[in-house]
PDB file of all heavy atoms in Angstrom:
ATOM      1  N   TYR S 144     -41.192   2.853  -6.823  1.00 89.00           N
ATOM      2  CA  TYR S 144     -40.242   2.757  -5.713  1.00 89.00           C
ATOM      3  C   TYR S 144     -39.630   4.110  -5.364  1.00 89.00           C
ATOM      4  O   TYR S 144     -39.323   4.367  -4.201  1.00 89.00           O
ATOM      5  CB  TYR S 144     -39.157   1.733  -6.036  1.00 89.00           C
ATOM      6  CG  TYR S 144     -39.633   0.318  -5.817  1.00 89.00           C
ATOM      7  CD1 TYR S 144     -39.737  -0.582  -6.877  1.00 89.00           C
ATOM      8  CD2 TYR S 144     -40.002  -0.118  -4.547  1.00 89.00           C
ATOM      9  CE1 TYR S 144     -40.193  -1.875  -6.677  1.00 89.00           C
ATOM     10  CE2 TYR S 144     -40.452  -1.407  -4.338  1.00 89.00           C
ATOM     11  CZ  TYR S 144     -40.548  -2.281  -5.401  1.00 89.00           C
ATOM     12  OH  TYR S 144     -41.002  -3.553  -5.204  1.00 89.00           O
ATOM     13  N   ASP S 145     -39.472   4.978  -6.343  1.00 91.00           N
ATOM     14  CA  ASP S 145     -39.015   6.329  -6.026  1.00 91.00           C
ATOM     15  C   ASP S 145     -40.060   7.061  -5.190  1.00 91.00           C
ATOM     16  O   ASP S 145     -39.712   7.818  -4.264  1.00 91.00           O
ATOM     17  CB  ASP S 145     -38.736   7.109  -7.316  1.00 91.00           C
ATOM     18  CG  ASP S 145     -37.391   6.761  -7.934  1.00 91.00           C
ATOM     19  OD1 ASP S 145     -36.516   6.272  -7.194  1.00 91.00           O
ATOM     20  OD2 ASP S 145     -37.213   6.976  -9.150  1.00 91.00           O
ATOM     21  N   ILE S 146     -41.340   6.826  -5.500  1.00 89.00           N
ATOM     22  CA  ILE S 146     -42.408   7.441  -4.709  1.00 89.00           C
ATOM     23  C   ILE S 146     -42.440   6.844  -3.307  1.00 89.00           C
ATOM     24  O   ILE S 146     -42.591   7.561  -2.315  1.00 89.00           O
ATOM     25  CB  ILE S 146     -43.774   7.246  -5.409  1.00 89.00           C
ATOM     26  CG1 ILE S 146     -43.821   8.057  -6.703  1.00 89.00           C
ATOM     27  CG2 ILE S 146     -44.922   7.676  -4.490  1.00 89.00           C
ATOM     28  CD1 ILE S 146     -45.042   7.793  -7.552  1.00 89.00           C
ATOM     29  N   PHE S 147     -42.292   5.525  -3.210  1.00 85.00           N
ATOM     30  CA  PHE S 147     -42.273   4.868  -1.895  1.00 85.00           C
ATOM     31  C   PHE S 147     -41.213   5.474  -0.993  1.00 85.00           C
ATOM     32  O   PHE S 147     -41.435   5.709   0.194  1.00 85.00           O
ATOM     33  CB  PHE S 147     -41.977   3.378  -2.060  1.00 85.00           C
ATOM     34  CG  PHE S 147     -43.145   2.560  -2.527  1.00 85.00           C
ATOM     35  CD1 PHE S 147     -42.993   1.196  -2.727  1.00 85.00           C
ATOM     36  CD2 PHE S 147     -44.381   3.130  -2.766  1.00 85.00           C
ATOM     37  CE1 PHE S 147     -44.060   0.425  -3.155  1.00 85.00           C
ATOM     38  CE2 PHE S 147     -45.446   2.376  -3.202  1.00 85.00           C
ATOM     39  CZ  PHE S 147     -45.284   1.011  -3.397  1.00 85.00           C
ATOM     40  N   GLU S 148     -40.020   5.702  -1.553  1.00 85.00           N
ATOM     41  CA  GLU S 148     -38.901   6.216  -0.759  1.00 85.00           C
ATOM     42  C   GLU S 148     -39.259   7.564  -0.147  1.00 85.00           C
ATOM     43  O   GLU S 148     -39.035   7.802   1.044  1.00 85.00           O
ATOM     44  CB  GLU S 148     -37.660   6.347  -1.647  1.00 85.00           C
ATOM     45  CG  GLU S 148     -36.391   6.692  -0.898  1.00 85.00           C
ATOM     46  CD  GLU S 148     -35.968   5.594   0.060  1.00 85.00           C
ATOM     47  OE1 GLU S 148     -36.199   4.405  -0.246  1.00 85.00           O
ATOM     48  OE2 GLU S 148     -35.412   5.931   1.129  1.00 85.00           O
ATOM     49  N   ALA S 149     -39.847   8.434  -0.967  1.00 84.00           N
ATOM     50  CA  ALA S 149     -40.224   9.759  -0.470  1.00 84.00           C
ATOM     51  C   ALA S 149     -41.390   9.672   0.511  1.00 84.00           C
ATOM     52  O   ALA S 149     -41.402  10.331   1.553  1.00 84.00           O
ATOM     53  CB  ALA S 149     -40.597  10.659  -1.645  1.00 84.00           C
ATOM     54  N   HIS S 150     -42.344   8.825   0.179  1.00 78.00           N
ATOM     55  CA  HIS S 150     -43.539   8.716   1.021  1.00 78.00           C
ATOM     56  C   HIS S 150     -43.208   8.105   2.374  1.00 78.00           C
ATOM     57  O   HIS S 150     -43.782   8.487   3.398  1.00 78.00           O
ATOM     58  CB  HIS S 150     -44.596   7.876   0.302  1.00 78.00           C
ATOM     59  CG  HIS S 150     -45.888   7.792   1.026  1.00 78.00           C
ATOM     60  ND1 HIS S 150     -46.282   6.660   1.722  1.00 78.00           N
ATOM     61  CD2 HIS S 150     -46.874   8.686   1.198  1.00 78.00           C
ATOM     62  CE1 HIS S 150     -47.457   6.878   2.267  1.00 78.00           C
ATOM     63  NE2 HIS S 150     -47.840   8.089   1.972  1.00 78.00           N
ATOM     64  N   ALA S 151     -42.284   7.165   2.407  1.00 75.00           N
ATOM     65  CA  ALA S 151     -41.909   6.521   3.667  1.00 75.00           C
ATOM     66  C   ALA S 151     -41.340   7.541   4.641  1.00 75.00           C
ATOM     67  O   ALA S 151     -41.537   7.442   5.857  1.00 75.00           O
ATOM     68  CB  ALA S 151     -40.900   5.408   3.410  1.00 75.00           C
ATOM     69  N   GLN S 152     -40.622   8.525   4.131  1.00 73.00           N
ATOM     70  CA  GLN S 152     -40.062   9.557   5.002  1.00 73.00           C
ATOM     71  C   GLN S 152     -41.172  10.389   5.630  1.00 73.00           C
ATOM     72  O   GLN S 152     -41.100  10.763   6.789  1.00 73.00           O
ATOM     73  CB  GLN S 152     -39.100  10.439   4.201  1.00 73.00           C
ATOM     74  CG  GLN S 152     -37.858   9.706   3.731  1.00 73.00           C
ATOM     75  CD  GLN S 152     -36.922  10.595   2.942  1.00 73.00           C
ATOM     76  OE1 GLN S 152     -36.962  11.816   3.049  1.00 73.00           O
ATOM     77  NE2 GLN S 152     -36.067   9.978   2.128  1.00 73.00           N
ATOM     78  N   ARG S 153     -42.217  10.667   4.836  1.00 64.00           N
ATOM     79  CA  ARG S 153     -43.348  11.413   5.396  1.00 64.00           C
ATOM     80  C   ARG S 153     -44.057  10.595   6.460  1.00 64.00           C
ATOM     81  O   ARG S 153     -44.438  11.098   7.512  1.00 64.00           O
ATOM     82  CB  ARG S 153     -44.338  11.779   4.284  1.00 64.00           C
ATOM     83  CG  ARG S 153     -45.466  12.688   4.759  1.00 64.00           C
ATOM     84  CD  ARG S 153     -46.510  12.923   3.691  1.00 64.00           C
ATOM     85  NE  ARG S 153     -47.481  11.841   3.642  1.00 64.00           N
ATOM     86  CZ  ARG S 153     -48.567  11.843   2.869  1.00 64.00           C
ATOM     87  NH1 ARG S 153     -48.789  12.873   2.063  1.00 64.00           N
ATOM     88  NH2 ARG S 153     -49.411  10.835   2.869  1.00 64.00           N
ATOM     89  N   GLU S 154     -44.205   9.293   6.209  1.00 60.00           N
ATOM     90  CA  GLU S 154     -44.946   8.438   7.124  1.00 60.00           C
ATOM     91  C   GLU S 154     -44.206   8.181   8.423  1.00 60.00           C
ATOM     92  O   GLU S 154     -44.806   7.754   9.411  1.00 60.00           O
ATOM     93  CB  GLU S 154     -45.266   7.101   6.457  1.00 60.00           C
ATOM     94  CG  GLU S 154     -46.280   7.231   5.336  1.00 60.00           C
ATOM     95  CD  GLU S 154     -47.553   7.906   5.816  1.00 60.00           C
ATOM     96  OE1 GLU S 154     -48.346   7.265   6.526  1.00 60.00           O
ATOM     97  OE2 GLU S 154     -47.754   9.087   5.486  1.00 60.00           O
ATOM     98  N   ALA S 155     -42.898   8.422   8.435  1.00 56.00           N
ATOM     99  CA  ALA S 155     -42.118   8.173   9.653  1.00 56.00           C
ATOM    100  C   ALA S 155     -42.597   9.048  10.812  1.00 56.00           C
ATOM    101  O   ALA S 155     -42.418   8.704  11.978  1.00 56.00           O
ATOM    102  CB  ALA S 155     -40.642   8.441   9.386  1.00 56.00           C
ATOM    103  N   THR S 156     -43.245  10.159  10.473  1.00 47.00           N
ATOM    104  CA  THR S 156     -43.746  11.052  11.522  1.00 47.00           C
ATOM    105  C   THR S 156     -45.251  10.934  11.703  1.00 47.00           C
ATOM    106  O   THR S 156     -45.847  11.700  12.456  1.00 47.00           O
ATOM    107  CB  THR S 156     -43.412  12.508  11.174  1.00 47.00           C
ATOM    108  OG1 THR S 156     -44.013  12.842   9.904  1.00 47.00           O
ATOM    109  CG2 THR S 156     -41.905  12.714  11.063  1.00 47.00           C
ATOM    110  N   ASP S 157     -45.874   9.967  11.031  1.00 49.00           N
ATOM    111  CA  ASP S 157     -47.329   9.787  11.133  1.00 49.00           C
ATOM    112  C   ASP S 157     -47.688   9.202  12.489  1.00 49.00           C
ATOM    113  O   ASP S 157     -47.005   8.328  13.010  1.00 49.00           O
ATOM    114  CB  ASP S 157     -47.811   8.855  10.012  1.00 49.00           C
ATOM    115  CG  ASP S 157     -49.316   8.788   9.948  1.00 49.00           C
ATOM    116  OD1 ASP S 157     -49.969   9.770  10.328  1.00 49.00           O
ATOM    117  OD2 ASP S 157     -49.829   7.748   9.515  1.00 49.00           O
ATOM    118  N   SER S 158     -48.781   9.666  13.083  1.00 46.00           N
ATOM    119  CA  SER S 158     -49.143   9.189  14.419  1.00 46.00           C
ATOM    120  C   SER S 158     -50.642   8.918  14.557  1.00 46.00           C
ATOM    121  O   SER S 158     -51.258   9.318  15.535  1.00 46.00           O
ATOM    122  CB  SER S 158     -48.714  10.225  15.463  1.00 46.00           C
ATOM    123  OG  SER S 158     -49.345  11.471  15.211  1.00 46.00           O
ATOM    124  N   HIS S 159     -51.243   8.271  13.541  1.00 46.00           N
ATOM    125  CA  HIS S 159     -52.657   7.923  13.648  1.00 46.00           C
ATOM    126  C   HIS S 159     -52.861   6.915  14.772  1.00 46.00           C
ATOM    127  O   HIS S 159     -52.211   5.883  14.815  1.00 46.00           O
ATOM    128  CB  HIS S 159     -53.152   7.304  12.327  1.00 46.00           C
ATOM    129  CG  HIS S 159     -53.156   8.277  11.200  1.00 46.00           C
ATOM    130  ND1 HIS S 159     -53.852   9.459  11.234  1.00 46.00           N
ATOM    131  CD2 HIS S 159     -52.536   8.250   9.994  1.00 46.00           C
ATOM    132  CE1 HIS S 159     -53.674  10.119  10.106  1.00 46.00           C
ATOM    133  NE2 HIS S 159     -52.876   9.401   9.337  1.00 46.00           N
ATOM    134  N   THR S 160     -53.778   7.199  15.679  1.00 45.00           N
ATOM    135  CA  THR S 160     -54.018   6.267  16.784  1.00 45.00           C
ATOM    136  C   THR S 160     -55.499   5.990  17.001  1.00 45.00           C
ATOM    137  O   THR S 160     -55.858   5.285  17.928  1.00 45.00           O
ATOM    138  CB  THR S 160     -53.445   6.848  18.091  1.00 45.00           C
ATOM    139  OG1 THR S 160     -54.053   8.133  18.332  1.00 45.00           O
ATOM    140  CG2 THR S 160     -51.942   7.010  18.005  1.00 45.00           C
ATOM    141  N   ASP S 161     -56.376   6.574  16.169  1.00 62.00           N
ATOM    142  CA  ASP S 161     -57.806   6.402  16.426  1.00 62.00           C
ATOM    143  C   ASP S 161     -58.256   4.989  16.059  1.00 62.00           C
ATOM    144  O   ASP S 161     -57.523   4.204  15.465  1.00 62.00           O
ATOM    145  CB  ASP S 161     -58.642   7.470  15.717  1.00 62.00           C
ATOM    146  CG  ASP S 161     -58.462   7.437  14.211  1.00 62.00           C
ATOM    147  OD1 ASP S 161     -58.195   6.356  13.673  1.00 62.00           O
ATOM    148  OD2 ASP S 161     -58.604   8.489  13.577  1.00 62.00           O
ATOM    149  N   ARG S 162     -59.493   4.686  16.423  1.00 68.00           N
ATOM    150  CA  ARG S 162     -60.010   3.326  16.233  1.00 68.00           C
ATOM    151  C   ARG S 162     -60.095   2.938  14.766  1.00 68.00           C
ATOM    152  O   ARG S 162     -59.815   1.801  14.403  1.00 68.00           O
ATOM    153  CB  ARG S 162     -61.386   3.194  16.902  1.00 68.00           C
ATOM    154  CG  ARG S 162     -62.034   1.833  16.668  1.00 68.00           C
ATOM    155  CD  ARG S 162     -63.200   1.591  17.608  1.00 68.00           C
ATOM    156  NE  ARG S 162     -63.942   0.403  17.249  1.00 68.00           N
ATOM    157  CZ  ARG S 162     -63.524  -0.841  17.452  1.00 68.00           C
ATOM    158  NH1 ARG S 162     -62.339  -1.057  17.993  1.00 68.00           N
ATOM    159  NH2 ARG S 162     -64.272  -1.878  17.107  1.00 68.00           N
ATOM    160  N   THR S 163     -60.471   3.889  13.913  1.00 74.00           N
ATOM    161  CA  THR S 163     -60.595   3.541  12.500  1.00 74.00           C
ATOM    162  C   THR S 163     -59.243   3.136  11.924  1.00 74.00           C
ATOM    163  O   THR S 163     -59.151   2.164  11.162  1.00 74.00           O
ATOM    164  CB  THR S 163     -61.175   4.723  11.699  1.00 74.00           C
ATOM    165  OG1 THR S 163     -60.351   5.868  11.881  1.00 74.00           O
ATOM    166  CG2 THR S 163     -62.584   5.039  12.160  1.00 74.00           C
TER     167      THR S 163
END
Side-chain angles (χ1 to χ4, degrees):
Y144 281 116
D145 280 338
I146 292 172
F147 283 179
E148 188 65 33
H150 185 256
Q152 294 180 21
R153 186 186 83 174
E154 291 305 285
T156 59
D157 188 29
S158 59
H159 293 303
T160 57
D161 60 30
R162 176 165 171 74
T163 57

